[in-house]
Amino acid sequence: MNRHFLGDTAVLLGRSLRHIARSPDTIITTAIMPIAFMLLFVYVFGGAIETGSDSYVNYLLPGILIITIASGISYTAFRLFLDLKGGIFERFQSMPIARSAVLWAHVLTSLVANLISIVVVIGVALIMGFRTGAGVSGWLAVAGILVLFTLALTWIAVIPGLTAKTLDGASAFSYPLIFLPFVSSAFVPTESMPGPVRAFAEHQPVTSIVNAIRDLFTQQPVGTDIWIALAWCAGILVLAYLFANLTYRRTIS
């Protein structure tokens, strides 16, 4: 690793964060869609959905947080695509900076922006009646899962950001990721789903992640869900990181 990696990453991170500060609509847009889903499901569909929970917003929030992250990481691909087509990468190559710092700056920018969006969504959920008895350790565990999940999806976003041919194509990859929580335990218990759909829902990563976060919020024993969730996040993160860096080396070579 280049000995200037940390310093270079910090400088490029500051550059990306300044871009977001000048265009706060990025975070606002990221938060609006999950909030709209939360309002729709709680106040329109919530009364007709049987979840066994005293408060539907308590049941719903973990899935909404996943949707927040899935919609937010599309901006990573968007920003990478603009930098690539704008010739910024060629300029950086002519400078004595660590090449990997360019990617890490975009990834950390995504992490910061998504964490801000998550805080906004949780704030709205509290206004809508969300309550939890989770202590500091429970909140830290939830934060850890969300950070790991954000990093995993962000490294996936790096790949289309480097390979897409159009601006729309760079961000369109996130649509299936946004849809995935709808076929999970995020909105309704998987027991209510027909056989094939239930089988898929119970064995895809979002269900274990949502269940683990929900159990942490409600102070229930998390059982194996948290380990399955961590395994999914770590596995996706490692594979996405490797493929993203391979794609990056091919792009700048």
Side-chain angles (χ1 to χ4, degrees):
M1 181 180 290
N2 190 300
R3 63 191 179 91
H4 299 298
F5 169 76
L6 293 178
D8 295 341
T9 301
V11 171
L12 294 175
L13 173 61
R15 165 185 174 267
S16 296
L17 291 177
R18 283 193 295 273
H19 287 173
I20 291 179
R22 293 168 186 163
S23 181
D25 58 297
T26 298
I27 294 176
I28 294 172
T29 303
T30 300
I32 280 178
M33 185 178 69
I35 291 172
F37 279 136
M38 188 161 57
L39 292 169
L40 178 66
F41 275 86
V42 170
Y43 294 126
V44 178
F45 302 135
I49 299 176
E50 180 58 48
T51 62
S53 174
D54 292 336
S55 171
Y56 186 56
V57 68
N58 286 0
Y59 184 91
L60 182 71
L61 182 60
I64 294 296
L65 297 179
I66 298 301
I67 290 177
T68 304
I69 295 170
S71 60
I73 52 98
S74 64
Y75 284 97
T76 301
F78 176 84
R79 288 187 291 265
L80 265 173
F81 180 86
L82 291 181
D83 275 358
L84 185 64
K85 297 305 179 182
I88 298 296
F89 280 36
E90 287 79 2
R91 296 181 193 176
F92 287 156
Q93 281 184 277
S94 66
M95 301 169 65
I97 63 175
R99 291 188 176 185
S100 58
V102 178
L103 289 188
W104 273 105
H106 279 284
V107 169
L108 293 177
T109 299
S110 171
L111 181 60
V112 172
N114 276 289
L115 288 177
I116 294 173
S117 296
I118 286 171
V119 170
V120 172
V121 171
I122 291 176
V124 174
L126 288 169
I127 295 173
M128 294 172 62
F130 169 72
R131 296 295 181 267
T132 174
V136 174
S137 59
W139 276 103
L140 288 176
V142 169
I145 293 172
L146 293 176
V147 166
L148 193 59
F149 185 66
T150 302
L151 289 174
L153 290 196
T154 300
W155 280 107
I156 292 177
V158 168
I159 300 171
L162 295 172
T163 59
K165 302 301 182 184
T166 65
L167 189 57
D168 289 337
S171 55
F173 83 98
S174 65
Y175 298 153
L177 298 178
I178 295 172
F179 176 75
L180 204 56
F182 290 93
V183 193
S184 73
S185 62
F187 296 94
V188 296
T190 56
E191 291 81 3
S192 64
M193 300 177 183
V197 177
R198 176 179 177 178
F200 173 79
E202 291 181 345
H203 294 90
Q204 60 121 321
V206 171
T207 291
S208 58
I209 295 170
V210 164
N211 288 345
I213 294 174
R214 187 177 290 137
D215 288 340
L216 288 166
F217 276 150
T218 57
Q219 297 180 294
Q220 299 296 317
V222 291
T224 60
D225 276 323
I226 192 169
W227 303 113
I228 296 173
L230 292 174
W232 270 113
C233 291
I236 294 171
L237 174 58
V238 170
L239 290 176
Y241 175 80
L242 293 174
F243 278 107
N245 277 275
L246 178 61
T247 303
Y248 180 55
R249 286 194 293 270
R250 289 178 177 175
T251 301
I252 65 174
S253 62

